Amino acid sequence: MTTTADLPVVVIGAGPAGLAAAAHLVGRGIEPLVLEAGPTAATAVRGWSHVRLFSTWGELTDPAARKLLAPTGWAEPDADTCPTGGDWAGRYLQPLADALGDRVRYDATVTGVSRLGRDRIVDADREQRPFTVRIALAGGGEERILGRAVIDASGTWSTPGPIGADGLPALGEHAASARISYRIPDVKDPAVRARYAGRRTAVIGSGASAFTALAALADVAKEEPGTHSVWILRRGISGSTFGGGSADQLPARGALGLAAKAAVDDGHADAVTGFRTEVIETADDDRLVLVGEDGRRLDPVDEVIVLTGLRPELSFLSELRLALDERLQAPVELAPLIDPNQHSCGTVHPHGHRELSHPEQGVYLVGMKSYGRAPTFLAMTGYEQVRSVTAALAGDAEAADRVELALPETGVCGGPGLFDDPAPAAGDTASGGCCGS
């Protein structure tokens, strides 16, 4: 007879945190089943494969994963170098998924999670019931999978923030969708480069992703006359706007902010501050005009790149009893520790299964998903999360509660970097971090 203890732990998402969770579970003799919506591992990471991270390989690989990969002949990358998203996916995440074998299922989109025979209202016998996970298959079919626990590592990549400062799409945003992108452009792709070369582009956002886009477009501007960016910030520019510079403990992260500053200083981008977009209008020549809440109208642009953060997709968890912070949509015990009004990615207090727990026992949101709308996540935080969570699921309370993590404190947070360039020159500094108030 099959009991709940015989069922797998269902892991949603074959990205960095999900695959690390599976590796830890295997190491503890617990069978995982990883459900990935895409056709390969790390589908979301591949979506920004051209972007270089500001973390090094040594910070981007998980110890349990390395142990699982070792017998396969996997060649561990140089720990001190920074990979691109494509490198991370191809040289680490996909080999890790391959090592897990049929424990990873692709083209399986999770559409709902609940307790077997119990919606979120019913108390009776609830904790003794297994989880039921509904998936939609690429061919159009549906399937139900039972699990002893659920680890949601599905991330936030699929739900970018809109243009509107109130969290809603600006009026006209949907109508102008053909001219709007919510991703960092890969200007090495000829088709993408042609979209922005010789044109005027609005870049909306103030974090590392916006820095990356500004730097990339500035490189295009050096070779393609007429290429120009309009950098739109909802706040003003201060000493902390561009991050930690050469004082950043992650050098590539500091260099990223300095490159964005150079795009402005060199005249490749104009900064518009205190602008909160309310309406997007289409001019007579089909260019876009952004109108602010204060009535300001900007000069027309050809394209808009929106990099206003990401948010968690929670609809498929609606039948579970989750305790989420009303602002960040992160677990209530974790939210005060990651509040971007107070913390940078390096000042987040070490945390594990206790801060990630919910009233619904046996379900955990980990990785980027656990941070909700906070932009301060680093991969090594996720690896420590899943180590603690899997220890708790294995009944190893001592290991689960032993949460230790040292993070680099200075600089900008919440996004990837792009640099092959050497470290910034001494004296090119900025204070603070982008997550501070």
Side-chain angles (χ1 to χ4, degrees):
M1 177 180 178
T2 300
T3 66
T4 299
D6 297 321
L7 296 173
V9 172
V10 176
V11 180
I12 305 173
L19 293 173
H24 280 274
L25 289 166
V26 169
R28 288 186 169 275
I30 299 174
E31 195 66 15
L33 177 61
V34 182
L35 302 175
E36 167 59 43
T40 64
T43 301
V45 175
R46 294 176 196 273
W48 45 273
S49 61
H50 58 292
V51 178
R52 190 168 297 281
L53 289 98
F54 49 55
S55 295
T56 64
W57 273 115
E59 297 157 336
L60 294 170
T61 58
D62 174 80
R66 293 196 296 269
K67 183 177 180 180
L68 190 65
L69 282 165
T72 70
W74 174 67
E76 187 168 352
D78 181 352
D80 296 326
T81 60
C82 297
T84 63
D87 294 335
W88 201 18
R91 297 180 60 189
Y92 169 67
L93 296 170
Q94 189 63 59
L96 178 54
D98 294 343
L100 289 164
D102 59 9
R103 298 183 178 100
V104 181
R105 287 188 59 178
Y106 301 110
D107 295 317
T109 301
V110 175
T111 59
V113 183
S114 187
R115 292 280 190 175
L116 184 63
R118 300 289 185 268
D119 63 21
R120 68 184 294 165
I121 298 176
V122 180
D123 292 332
D125 198 31
R126 186 177 189 86
E127 293 181 4
Q128 284 68 51
R129 294 275 177 160
F131 289 94
T132 177
V133 180
R134 187 72 57 87
I135 61 173
L137 306 176
E142 291 183 291
E143 189 176 331
R144 185 184 72 179
I145 295 170
L146 299 182
R148 61 187 285 187
V150 174
I151 298 176
D152 182 358
S154 59
T156 56
W157 175 252
S158 63
T159 46
I163 291 176
D166 52 11
L168 302 175
L171 296 177
E173 185 169 342
H174 293 313
S177 60
R179 298 285 190 90
I180 299 173
S181 171
Y182 299 86
R183 308 301 185 197
I184 299 168
D186 180 4
V187 296
K188 293 181 180 179
D189 181 322
V192 175
R193 188 181 184 88
R195 178 173 179 174
Y196 300 102
R199 299 189 176 189
R200 183 179 171 87
T201 300
V203 177
I204 305 176
S206 59
S209 294
F211 293 172
T212 308
L214 289 167
L217 293 174
D219 286 342
V220 175
K222 295 171 186 176
E223 300 177 1
E224 303 283 353
T227 305
H228 195 77
S229 300
V230 181
W231 183 24
I232 299 174
L233 300 96
R234 294 170 181 168
R235 299 180 181 179
I237 293 179
S238 67
S240 65
T241 298
F242 296 100
S246 60
D248 198 316
Q249 292 179 35
L250 294 177
R253 185 172 63 180
L256 176 60
L258 293 176
K261 185 175 186 298
V264 176
D265 292 344
D266 295 343
H268 299 307
D270 296 324
V272 178
T273 60
F275 191 91
R276 297 173 179 268
T277 309
E278 184 174 72
V279 181
I280 299 176
E281 297 178 353
T282 302
D284 293 340
D285 59 0
D286 288 333
R287 301 174 84 196
L288 302 179
V289 176
L290 277 61
V291 182
E293 293 177 349
D294 57 4
R296 279 186 289 169
R297 301 171 63 86
L298 302 185
D299 291 339
V301 296
D302 300 287
E303 299 284 342
V304 179
I305 298 174
V306 187
L307 300 166
T308 55
L310 303 166
R311 53 185 61 179
E313 170 56 62
L314 299 169
S315 62
F316 64 85
L317 303 176
S318 61
E319 292 305 317
L320 297 177
R321 297 174 176 181
L322 302 181
L324 298 175
D325 179 73
E326 67 274 10
R327 293 177 302 154
L328 298 183
Q329 296 178 298
V332 291
E333 296 297 324
L334 176 61
L337 306 180
I338 63 173
D339 184 349
N341 293 295
Q342 304 294 330
H343 294 281
S344 74
C345 51
T347 62
V348 171
H349 190 277
H351 60 275
H353 73 108
R354 294 192 182 279
E355 292 83 2
L356 298 170
S357 296
H358 294 276
E360 193 79 70
Q361 295 185 21
V363 60
Y364 299 93
L365 278 58
V366 302
M368 276 292 298
K369 185 75 170 272
S370 72
Y371 271 44
R373 299 192 182 203
T376 49
F377 183 76
L378 288 175
M380 17 183 196
T381 303
Y383 295 153
E384 181 63 9
Q385 286 179 342
V386 299
R387 186 205 60 78
S388 174
V389 164
T390 54
L393 290 174
D396 187 348
E398 189 277 330
D401 289 338
R402 188 184 66 248
V403 183
E404 300 175 359
L405 184 63
L407 296 171
E409 293 186 7
T410 57
V412 295
C413 312
L418 80 170
F419 289 99
D420 296 310
D421 298 340
D428 289 337
T429 61
S431 61
C434 72
C435 301
S437 58

